[in-house]
Amino acid sequence: MNQEKQSQPPRRMNPYVGLLLGLLIMLFLNGLIVPSFTGRQIKPADYGTFIAKVDSGLVKNVVIEKGQIYFSAQESGKEVDYQTGTIDDPELVDRLLQAKSPNKDGKIVFNQVIPQENSPLLNFVLTWVLPGLIFYLIWRQTGKALQARMGAGGNFMSFGKSGAKIYADSDVKTTFADVAGQDEAKDTLNEIVDFLHNPQKYADIGASLPKGALLVGPPGTGKTLIARAVAGEAKVPFFAISGSEFVQMFVGMGAAKVRDLFQQASEKAPCIIFIDEIDAIGKRRDTGLGGNDEREQTLNQLLTEMDGFDGRKGVVILAATNRPESLDKALLRPGRFDRRIQMELPDLEGRKAILAVHLKHVKCDQVNTDVVARATAGSSGAELANIVNEAALRAVRMGRDKVTTADLEESVETVIAGAQKKGKVISPSEKKTVSYHEIGHALVAALQSHSAPVHKITIVPRTSGALGYTMQVDKGEQVLMSRDDLFNRIATLTGGRAAEEVVLGSISTGASNDIEQATRLARAMVTRYGMSQKYDMMELETVNNAYLGDDTSLTCSAETAADVDREVLNIIKEAHQKACQLIAGHLDIMHEAAAYLLDKETISGEEFMAIVDKHTTGDSKDKEQK
Ligand code: ADP
Ligand code: MG
Ligand code: ZN
């Protein structure tokens, strides 16, 4: 679904094959290949053997040719073909005439092939035209291969025009129905669709629509998909090209490609040009060393072309990127990509809709997308598509012909934590440690009011290296996180280690991932969310790239940075202490739940909560009041 397909020209026969065929035909005409002597396999023999066989009266046929003698002899009831070289032997003819033969008339049949004189034309072709042709073809092929390696299209060693045809997909099947959610984006794009349907309507009133729209958003949110859908909805040709395809070996080639693209597009107007991953060419032109001439020329050409063509003609340019902050300002000014369409990670409803869209393509019974959607907060459309596919694969593996909710749930875990690692041997004492660790997480989560409910606890090892995990699933969707939410989450993360400490009295390496996550959260609380008293609402860190992970850099002095570390540590310590207290106060639950988990390996949130409730309902509102 995701392939930016371009219609390809029909493949031509490889020129080498044609050449070889031609050569064979010529050699054949030229008599270099004996037109099948008898059709049997020909054995080599020396001249002496030939003479001996002739003398012994076993030879039936002899064909003498320039340089070669072919003969067949009777051998133990069968006829065998031989080949030998000619020798200047004046007595050969006499010998053949006199020799006996198994032929009916007792005589050897022999003749000489008359060497055919080539026609002068054929000679000319063979000596002049053919070698030239071979050289030409080799040159062309190496040229193409070279170019392919340089990641280029177009014509080797020609400048000014890239010569490459950029094929337009004139029958895009994707429509807005294939894109779930993203209603704001669809609204904006609908106007473009309408414009493409009827450019005249807009031209009449004197309005020109935005020439370009820039789709921005995290990877996998459907930018490429929705661009295709616009073409599918508008039923116009779709020129899709990736930004990196413009970046070529020689300065000027990329610019030529841009010119070609716009020329071809304006011939097919109304149509859509889609430049995917435009940051490959649209990066800010910076001063100083290490500038990239080719890229800048290409960008300049793109800017010029966008200014140059008539906005009323009906060529709309869409571009997609997940690094909008790196784009050159000139690209974003009015008259170029002046519309910005934000593609967001889907919310709960969006995730349900995306799952539904993709489940339409697989056979399934009534599946509960709700629980899956809730378990996948923060996942992109691409990840959800992958989860559905994993579920279908799992159904096949299990020998079923329909996807079930269980398949989907399992594939969520496969995508989050890796596949189950069945063969891994874990010693009983390690297993015990893991189950206390996981129950520690779950118990701390359960005892805090600001935590997502526990959905599942498992100690089945995963290929990602996790020996077990506790899955928490929020009831609804949370947009804002309070300080308590974050703090409790850190406490939950430290709960695993706390359980090891409190219950087992020793600590293990199993908490490394928890430590990483807890620290990241605590740091964000201090540096980005202004949740420490000391630094109030001061920004201490900026996020470098909003859509590509948490890549941050400090904006404070080194002194402050050292102090920030202390603040972060305090938060983690506080949370850790809280977790230890909660666990120490409920050791009965710990032991019972851990033993149960050790036995079952995977337990559901309800099973776990039943144990918790059994022990806590007596004590008056044991749950923390906040
Ligand atoms: P991007 O270009 O933003 O990185 P793509 O458009 O390539 O993402 O999306 C990848 C795949 O994810 C799509 O082919 C589609 O299967 C799925 N997908 C993403 N977003 C959606 C959505 N909103 N609705 C349905 N499928 C989606
Ligand atoms: Mg894309
Ligand atoms: Zn843990």
Side-chain angles (χ1 to χ4, degrees):
M1 236 187 147
N2 178 25
Q3 288 148 358
E4 285 101 63
K5 233 191 305 162
Q6 294 182 2
S7 47
Q8 295 285 335
R11 275 185 75 90
R12 274 180 305 148
M13 187 169 73
N14 186 337
Y16 286 130
V17 176
L19 195 69
L20 209 70
L21 273 177
L23 209 66
L24 278 174
I25 291 168
M26 278 191 199
L27 289 176
F28 190 82
L29 287 177
N30 208 19
L32 286 178
I33 291 177
V34 177
S36 139
F37 174 53
T38 49
R40 286 186 297 263
Q41 200 196 349
I42 301 175
K43 287 189 191 164
D46 59 41
Y47 199 73
T49 316
F50 169 52
I51 298 297
K53 289 215 191 281
V54 171
D55 288 349
S56 61
L58 291 172
V59 174
K60 292 173 89 171
N61 300 296
V62 178
V63 176
I64 302 167
E65 218 196 79
K66 209 165 62 181
Q68 296 289 342
I69 298 173
Y70 298 90
F71 62 98
S72 62
Q74 194 74 30
E75 254 171 41
S76 52
K78 272 190 300 180
E79 215 172 295
V80 184
D81 295 332
Y82 290 97
Q83 174 186 25
T84 183
T86 50
I87 284 182
D88 188 16
D89 180 359
E91 285 154 33
L92 179 61
V93 177
D94 284 342
R95 201 185 280 270
L96 290 175
L97 280 172
Q98 277 155 25
K100 292 207 189 70
S101 162
N103 285 338
K104 270 188 205 129
D105 57 354
K107 293 229 156 91
I108 299 179
V109 182
F110 66 98
N111 67 323
Q112 179 154 26
V113 176
I114 304 159
Q116 254 179 337
E117 264 307 308
N118 287 344
S119 71
L121 185 70
L122 192 64
N123 263 339
F124 174 75
V125 167
L126 277 176
T127 46
W128 296 103
V129 180
L130 197 66
L133 201 73
I134 292 173
F135 273 116
Y136 171 73
L137 283 175
I138 290 175
W139 179 78
R140 249 185 50 167
Q141 286 286 319
T142 37
K144 264 192 204 153
L146 219 98
Q147 224 176 35
R149 209 163 304 154
M150 295 183 310
N155 218 335
F156 187 51
M157 282 182 186
S158 79
F159 293 93
K161 224 176 150 27
S162 78
K165 261 245 172 275
I166 297 142
Y167 287 93
D169 193 343
S170 43
D171 190 23
V172 180
K173 294 277 193 295
T174 316
T175 64
F176 280 158
D178 296 315
V179 188
Q182 309 291 3
D183 293 328
E184 298 78 13
K186 280 187 205 165
D187 276 349
T188 316
L189 290 169
N190 251 328
E191 195 176 60
I192 291 179
V193 171
D194 187 49
F195 169 65
L196 288 168
H197 271 310
N198 194 355
Q200 200 52 43
K201 187 169 84 185
Y202 290 80
D204 284 347
I205 205 170
S208 59
L209 229 78
K211 285 182 189 168
L214 186 66
L215 297 155
V216 300
T221 43
K223 298 183 293 295
T224 309
L225 182 70
I226 209 169
R228 288 189 72 81
V230 173
E233 288 283 332
K235 300 196 176 58
V236 295
F238 184 66
F239 289 87
I241 192 161
S242 168
S244 60
E245 281 173 58
F246 289 116
V247 182
Q248 311 226 339
M249 190 73 176
F250 299 113
V251 174
M253 294 284 297
K257 206 160 185 184
V258 172
R259 264 196 303 278
D260 272 9
L261 175 63
F262 276 82
Q263 203 200 327
Q264 286 175 36
S266 65
E267 280 162 15
K268 288 221 172 169
C271 68
I272 290 175
I273 297 177
F274 176 54
I275 306 175
D276 209 352
E277 316 291 352
I278 195 174
D279 42 288
I281 47 166
K283 238 183 273 164
R284 195 173 297 133
R285 288 163 291 186
D286 38 22
T287 49
L289 301 170
N292 184 334
D293 270 349
E294 161 63 2
R295 213 196 65 219
E296 288 185 8
Q297 274 214 20
T298 309
L299 175 57
N300 281 333
Q301 188 66 42
L302 181 63
L303 298 176
T304 319
E305 291 291 343
M306 286 192 77
D307 283 345
F309 77 86
D310 188 350
R312 273 163 294 190
K313 228 175 160 185
V315 179
V316 170
I317 304 158
L318 297 177
T321 180
N322 36 39
R323 310 179 49 191
E325 72 288 332
S326 76
L327 290 184
D328 198 290
K329 291 278 171 291
L331 260 181
L332 303 174
R333 79 139 170 75
R336 292 176 185 149
F337 291 107
D338 46 6
R339 281 231 177 152
R340 190 171 166 137
I341 296 167
Q342 202 80 30
M343 301 291 286
E344 302 288 354
L345 284 176
D347 56 10
L348 184 58
E349 288 307 311
R351 289 197 297 277
K352 270 193 227 168
I354 292 174
L355 286 170
V357 164
H358 288 278
L359 280 168
K360 250 189 260 161
H361 302 294
V362 299
K363 273 198 197 134
C364 55
D365 283 327
Q366 280 293 313
V367 295
N368 182 356
T369 54
D370 186 65
V371 59
V372 181
R374 278 196 287 118
T376 47
S379 298
S380 68
E383 282 164 322
L384 293 169
N386 186 22
I387 284 171
V388 171
N389 192 46
E390 285 287 336
L393 291 177
R394 181 171 186 265
V396 174
R397 257 200 314 274
M398 313 284 273
R400 273 186 269 108
D401 57 353
K402 283 200 174 123
V403 173
T404 63
T405 312
D407 289 328
L408 280 169
E409 284 193 63
E410 176 59 31
S411 71
V412 170
E413 286 171 52
T414 306
V415 170
I416 294 172
Q420 287 191 355
K421 212 167 172 180
K422 291 250 171 58
K424 189 165 171 112
V425 182
I426 297 172
S427 72
S429 77
E430 279 174 325
K431 264 202 157 153
K432 192 172 143 201
T433 309
V434 176
S435 34
Y436 273 108
H437 179 108
E438 294 309 330
I439 293 294
H441 284 305
L443 183 61
V444 174
L447 293 176
Q448 297 178 124
S449 49
H450 287 260
S451 297
V454 175
H455 180 69
K456 183 175 179 179
I457 312 168
T458 169
I459 53 168
V460 178
R462 297 271 162 173
T463 46
S464 66
L467 295 174
Y469 63 86
T470 305
M471 197 169 156
Q472 284 174 269
V473 175
D474 258 312
K475 279 231 181 59
E477 184 106 69
Q478 209 167 4
V479 188
L480 282 178
M481 298 270 279
S482 70
R483 186 179 190 280
D484 284 334
D485 295 339
L486 289 172
F487 183 77
N488 286 353
R489 196 185 269 195
I490 297 173
T492 304
L493 284 166
T494 59
R497 165 63 66 85
E500 293 177 36
E501 278 172 289
V502 175
V503 183
L504 303 171
S506 75
I507 54 178
S508 72
T509 53
S512 61
N513 185 30
D514 301 335
I515 290 170
E516 196 183 316
Q517 286 189 43
T519 311
R520 200 179 300 152
L521 269 179
R523 177 167 288 277
M525 280 171 73
V526 178
T527 61
R528 277 158 53 199
Y529 305 136
M531 286 178 179
S532 71
Q533 272 180 356
K534 189 155 183 184
Y535 289 105
D536 203 38
M537 286 184 59
M538 179 177 174
E539 184 200 57
L540 299 167
E541 233 177 35
T542 50
V543 180
N544 296 335
N545 196 309
Y547 300 129
L548 298 176
D550 277 337
D551 175 19
T552 57
S553 48
L554 282 173
T555 55
C556 56
S557 72
E559 240 169 275
T560 316
D563 199 45
V564 164
D565 289 342
R566 253 164 275 161
E567 286 285 308
V568 172
L569 180 60
N570 284 340
I571 294 180
I572 296 173
K573 268 192 172 162
E574 202 187 321
H576 189 178
Q577 249 166 25
K578 183 183 176 190
C580 285
Q581 275 164 15
L582 285 173
I583 288 171
H586 296 88
L587 282 179
D588 44 353
I589 304 181
M590 283 301 296
H591 291 308
E592 187 177 340
Y596 188 69
L597 176 61
L598 198 56
D599 180 41
K600 294 262 169 131
E601 296 210 326
T602 301
I603 63 174
S604 71
E606 287 92 55
E607 286 172 279
F608 172 71
M609 284 317 291
I611 297 175
V612 174
D613 288 340
K614 199 166 77 189
H615 289 271
T616 52
T617 36
D619 358 341
S620 58
K621 265 280 138 242
D622 202 19
K623 280 209 166 188
E624 172 192 330
Q625 307 288 326
K626 271 270 169 182

